[in-house]
Every structure is written in C-alpha cells, then in structure tokens.
C-alpha cells in the first residue's frame, strides 16, 4: 500500500490516476500539486484527493510515491524542485510520452542526490483533456511502458510497475532511447503523416474531401488531436521523429515506384507482406 | 422500372446491386454474366438473378440497363463486347474506382456506334469480397460519384443516378479526370501512405509494433485491404496518384521542418488549421 501519493498535475492522466487509486484504496493519502490551487478544488470537493497545494516542496514532503503528470515539456523543468523536496525513500515516476530527456535529467540529479526515478509512459488518452475528463478506468487494458535508466533500482522498477498493474494496465519495460524510437515510429510518425494527408488535400483542392470515405476518415482520425499537446511531443522527440520520417520517406518513394510500375507479381507480393503484418496487429478495445 | 438489368460480374458490388434491385422490385428481369457460369449458380438458386450466362452478347441482348461490375483493369477490355451486343436504347454504367480510362474508352466506342455510357464509382465496399459477402444494403448511405463524359446524354445520367438513389445512395456528379484526382488524394494516397507506415515500421524494427496504440491501428487499418484489388487501382490511376504523392511529399517535408523547429506559435497555428479541417469531416456510419 502507498502511504502518501503525490500527483504533480491533475489533468486527464493525473486525475485518472487519483480516481483509480482512490477507488481501489491503494493509498492512504493522495496529495495534488498544481500551479493554480483553485483548479484542484473539484478533486478535493469530491474526495478524490485529500489535499491540494501550489507548493511543490509542501506537496512532495512525506510522499513515498510521486508521479509527475504535467505536459511533457515542463516535466524536466519541474523535476529538480521535486527532487530536492522528496524524502530519501520516495520513488518518482512520470507520464511523459518521451523518455530519454526526463531519464537523463533524473540521472544528472541522482549524481547530486541519490533518489529512485523510473520513467513511465501510459499509452492511454483521449481527445479530451483536463480533470473533468479523468476516469478511474482510463488505464484498464492500456499498455504502460516503464523505462528504467541504467542506474534504476530494481525495487523502484517493481514499485512503479505494480502501481500501473493495480490500475489495470499491461506493463512492458524498455530502454528509454529504444522507447523514444519506437513511439516515434508507431505514434508520432503516424500523427505527422495524418496531419500531412489532411494538409496535402487542402493544398490540392479542399473540395476533394467531399468524396472522402471511411479510409480517409480512419487514416486521418488522429489529425484532430490537440495542437498544444502534439507540438510539445513533436519537439520533445524530434531526433527520433526525424529518423522515423526519413525511413518512411524512403519506403514511400520505393512503394510509389513499385505500385505505379507494371510488375504485377512484385506489387502484389509487397502489398501482401504489408497486409499480413497489419492483419497480425490485435484490435484492442482502446 | 428497369425491364432487363444485366450485371457483368457478380462479386461484392454486382451481387449487392442484384440483391438490392431484386428486393426493391426495381427490375422485371436480372441477368448475370460471369466467366465461370457455375459460380453464378448460387445467385440463380436463391432467386436473386433470373438467368446466368458466360456469354457477354447473350447476357446483354435485350437489356435496357447494363452495369459492368468486374475488377477495374478488365472494365475497358470488356466494354467493346458489351458495346457491340447492347440494344440501341441500352444505358451502360460501371462501378470502377477510376473513371478517366473507362469514360475515354466509351467515347472512342461511341464514335463508331452511338450508345449511352455514364461512369459510376460507388464508394462502398468492405474488406470482404465475392457474392457471398454481397448484401442489399451495401449502398445505403454510401456516396456514388457519377462521371458523365462530355457527350453523355442527360437522360442517361438521370437513369444511372436514379438507380443509385433507389439503392439508398447519395449521388454527386463529377468530371472524370476531376474524380480521378480527388480519389487519388482522399483514397489512393491514404492507402499508399498506410502501406508505407506499416512497411517503414517493419524496416526500422518489427518489435516496435509491440507499443502500437489506437493511433497506429486507425492510421493503418486500410493497409489490410486486398493486394490484388489495390494493385489494380494503383496502376489504373497512376498519373493522378503520382500527383497526389508529390503534393503529400512536399507537405510532409514542410511539416517535418516546422514541427521539429522552435517556432511554437507557428507550429500550433498549423496543427490547429489541420485539426479544424479534419474535425469538419462528418463521421458517417460507413
């Protein structure tokens, strides 16, 4: 059981952790930290958190588990304050969608003061955001990647993994840079490509969307996501994103040359190889 | 009412037309033409068609409406035999997903023998194929683009449009080349891009799909389509597809440079412009 859980940031992810932990009775006390303490009042009012404060040091004092749930670009800036105030036995994690930057920051801080940090990336979300959209089952069935750095303590990795599993998630561990390359390939690249598909049609002729069917809608669904959230993700993972875009560009060029050729058998063989790989993906409920 | 409807090809689309026309009582007689007449027996057996033949001339004789429902690359090769055998008052259409080629072929044939041809592209389909997957409500709520050529007779355009509307579809008319450019942009390009996304991940590291979420699944859903069908579509519309890929490539390059820059406001403005355009697309049931 967690003695005192401190959540820095109480939006969709932080709020959903709080609601799930409260409902499951996983922590004796839940403390929320936010820049504008009045925005945390709904969570105090409905009993999901016990205390709310705008003071990081006050919020983190006495915590044995601390989860940073702010937007990805402010995580690394917030970490030194959390690091300085957390008790020696506190385990710290986060919910950022890129991991190398925050894990490197933690490693630098750990050189000054040894503390346990393990990165987390819960692959759950929604087009909605904010505490009002938070729900206790957000992580049920979701995948959470935990990214221990080289110096991470096994007991801390276990502690963080057990939190996510208690919320119903499936946990896999990855090295932080491998994680960032993987999400660039299967998440950030598809987002950028979906954006580019919409922008390309707007450039060619906006009226073309009048004949768009289910294929265009599926392929571009994620282009309707939050500009502020995705601006930060793209920027934060730009090195891995550029690598993924480069691989995609080469593949697209080759595929375009192939499918506009007369090499019927080679075209069908390549499309079949791709079809099989896609068909092998499980259709998860979320 | 249709006196005699002849369907050349009785797969998913031809079969669905036959079932819908029969159910609605739109034709007195339905004749099916297929290369292997024994494969048409199920449709004769269940009363959906009245006669089946492997002979195009025999099947088309006496028809007042004829719909070519074969794969897109065989449409133009079949048209001369249909053209030679059809009665003078027959109106001919097709269900091909590209239109310039078939409309041009019809215009050349019309120079020899005046007959009414109007291209159709029903934007309905499924991952399934064949008569067994055909269903009378396939076109309900679907969009059908009709593409009269320059010399098309208004009464023939009306006749073909009324057929689709009677099957529950929404009909819009477009010039054949405008149609091909539009579907290249909103259908064929997204397909190629979905294929390239899957192939790019396979090239980078196939294990990356282990962290794929709903975004990757949505964006690549259409990569699981039939290789034989899509090989033909890509080849048949290669000119317009190359134009669309070119526009997409330019947009992707610009977008990549933008989102990996520090120009926060410009990034969010562009992502917001795209988000709005995508959000304006209606979510249709199919």
């Amino acid at each position: 059981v967690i003695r005192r859980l401190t959540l820095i940031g109480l939006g969709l992810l932080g709020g959903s952790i709080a609601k799930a932990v409260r409902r499951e009775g996983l922590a004796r006390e839940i403390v929320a930290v936010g820049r504008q303490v009045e925005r945390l009042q709904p969570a105090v009012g409905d009993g999901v958190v016990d205390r709310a404060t705008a003071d990081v040091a006050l919020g983190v004092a006495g915590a044995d588990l601390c989860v940073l749930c702010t937007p990805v670009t402010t995580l690394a800036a917030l970490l030194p304050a959390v690091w300085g105030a957390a008790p020696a036995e506190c385990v710290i994690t986060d919910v950022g969608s890129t991991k190398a930057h925050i894990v490197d920051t933690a490693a630098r801080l750990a050189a000054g003061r040894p503390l346990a940090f393990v990165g987390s990336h819960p692959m759950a979300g929604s087009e909605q955001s904010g505490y009002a959209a938070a729900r206790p089952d957000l992580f049920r069935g979701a995948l959470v990647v935990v990214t221990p750095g080289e110096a991470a303590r096994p007991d801390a990795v276990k502690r963080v993994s057990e939190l996510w599993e208690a919320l119903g998630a499936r946990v896999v561990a990855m090295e932080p840079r491998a994680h960032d390359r993987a999400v660039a390939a299967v998440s950030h690249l598809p987002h950028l490509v979906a954006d580019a598909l919409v922008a390309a049609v707007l450039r060619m002729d906006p009226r073309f969307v009048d004949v768009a069917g289910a294929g265009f809608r599926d392929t571009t669904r994620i282009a309707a996501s939050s500009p502020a959230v995705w601006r930060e993700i793209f920027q934060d993972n730009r090195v891995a994103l550029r690598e993924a875009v480069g691989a995609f560009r080469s593949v697209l060029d080759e595929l375009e040359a192939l499918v506009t050729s007369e090499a019927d058998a080679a075209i069908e063989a390549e499309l079949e190889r791709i079809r099989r790989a896609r068909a092998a993906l499980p259709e998860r409920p979320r």
Side-chain angles (χ1 to χ4, degrees), chain A:
Chain A
V1 77
I2 303 160
R3 204 175 56 240
R4 182 178 292 170
L5 171 68
T6 298
L7 299 165
I8 322 271
L10 205 70
L12 175 70
L13 293 171
S16 294
I17 295 172
K19 288 179 180 181
V21 166
R22 178 101 301 167
R23 190 173 71 173
E24 303 297 324
L26 301 173
R28 274 188 226 130
E29 191 184 7
I30 303 178
V31 179
V33 180
R35 272 184 306 180
Q36 295 168 278
V37 76
E38 64 276 14
R39 298 188 60 181
L40 304 172
Q41 285 312 318
V44 177
D46 61 20
V48 164
V49 308
D50 301 294
R51 280 198 290 122
T53 173
D55 185 320
V56 172
L58 216 59
V60 170
D64 54 337
L65 188 60
C66 178
V67 188
L68 280 76
C69 306
T70 62
V72 69
T73 46
T74 54
L75 289 172
L78 258 169
L79 197 57
V82 173
W83 208 271
E89 74 280 12
C90 186
V91 172
I92 305 170
T93 187
D94 74 311
V95 299
S97 54
T98 64
K99 301 269 56 104
H101 186 194
I102 189 79
V103 172
D104 287 352
T105 304
R108 272 196 303 276
L109 291 166
R113 182 189 174 212
L115 259 189
F117 180 88
V118 177
S120 297
H121 176 197
M123 304 191 78
S126 127
E127 273 82 82
Q128 299 173 287
S129 62
Y131 180 76
R135 45 177 227 265
D137 64 346
L138 186 71
F139 306 105
R140 192 146 300 279
L143 178 70
V144 176
V145 183
V146 298
T147 61
E150 284 174 26
R153 288 183 353 226
D155 67 298
V157 179
K158 185 159 173 286
R159 192 104 199 272
V160 170
S161 301
E162 284 172 351
L163 169 69
W164 295 116
E165 285 163 356
L167 305 190
R170 204 161 48 86
V171 174
V172 298
M174 286 179 91
E175 194 272 321
R177 270 174 187 76
H179 165 274
D180 288 359
R181 291 184 63 228
V183 295
V186 301
S187 172
H188 310 168
L189 171 65
H191 253 92
L192 192 68
V193 160
D195 287 337
L197 276 173
V198 173
V201 172
L202 293 178
R203 181 169 298 180
M204 283 185 277
D205 189 336
R207 289 169 304 177
F208 285 174
V209 299
D210 293 347
V211 296
F216 188 72
R217 275 192 291 280
D218 281 348
T219 315
T220 61
R221 182 157 292 120
I222 50 179
S225 307
S226 158
V229 168
W230 279 89
R231 192 260 300 162
E232 295 197 349
I233 292 173
F234 288 141
Q235 289 178 323
D236 201 59
N237 203 23
R238 56 165 65 95
V239 175
L241 178 60
R242 283 190 190 121
E243 181 205 343
V245 174
F248 172 79
R249 197 182 276 118
S250 303
V251 167
L252 180 66
D253 289 354
E254 294 167 30
L255 208 50
E256 181 197 14
L258 180 64
V259 303
T260 56
S261 76
E262 301 290 342
D264 296 9
I267 298 170
E268 290 191 24
E270 176 63 1
L271 295 182
E272 176 60 19
R273 183 181 77 97
I274 291 166
R275 190 194 65 74
R276 275 174 199 269
R278 175 57 183 79
L281 272 188
E283 279 295 333
R284 296 205 199 97
R286 64 178 72 225

